[in-house]
Amino acid sequence: MNWAGPEFVLAIIAISTGGWVINNWIRARHGYALEDEWGGKTDRADQEAYAKLREENAFLRDQLDKTHQRLANVEAIVTDSGFDISRQIEALRPAQEKMQ
């Protein structure tokens, strides 16, 4: 390879440009800010939408935690030895048969 020829300079330019394109493609794919031609950062246009989604996600996680706590309370009530649903249902059956 001729180190002083234009092919070497063009190869360096092509490799640098290719690396920059691949770097920005990876950054865009994973949601990071992109580099512009002068080394500055360009934020994505949909950052506000992501902030709203994060806020909604936090709200929904809080609601889910509350639901899990309520379900745990209901399970504790149902599995409590003093709470016998089948006995109460059987106690109601003769009353229903008398009514018919």
Side-chain angles (χ1 to χ4, degrees):
M1 172 180 253
N2 184 6
W3 298 102
E7 297 89 13
F8 182 70
V9 173
L10 292 175
I12 296 233
I13 291 171
I15 290 172
S16 298
T17 303
W20 178 77
V21 168
I22 291 171
N23 180 30
N24 277 336
W25 176 74
I26 291 171
R27 292 178 72 81
R29 186 168 184 211
H30 295 288
Y32 293 105
L34 301 178
E35 279 186 21
D36 59 13
E37 296 85 23
W38 298 281
K41 301 287 185 192
T42 304
D43 287 333
R44 294 176 55 139
D46 53 0
Q47 287 295 327
E48 187 175 318
Y50 280 130
K52 288 180 182 177
L53 284 175
R54 277 190 232 106
E55 181 180 322
E56 182 182 6
N57 191 14
F59 174 74
L60 292 175
R61 284 181 186 268
D62 185 46
Q63 291 244 334
L64 186 61
D65 288 340
K66 288 179 183 177
T67 304
H68 280 292
Q69 290 173 354
R70 289 179 181 171
L71 182 60
N73 289 338
V74 169
E75 286 176 348
I77 291 170
V78 169
T79 57
D80 188 12
S81 61
F83 191 78
D84 190 12
I85 294 177
S86 63
R87 182 177 50 83
Q88 292 176 357
I89 291 173
E90 292 301 323
L92 291 175
R93 284 199 179 156
Q96 287 180 344
E97 290 173 4
K98 291 178 187 176
M99 295 176 118
Q100 292 177 353

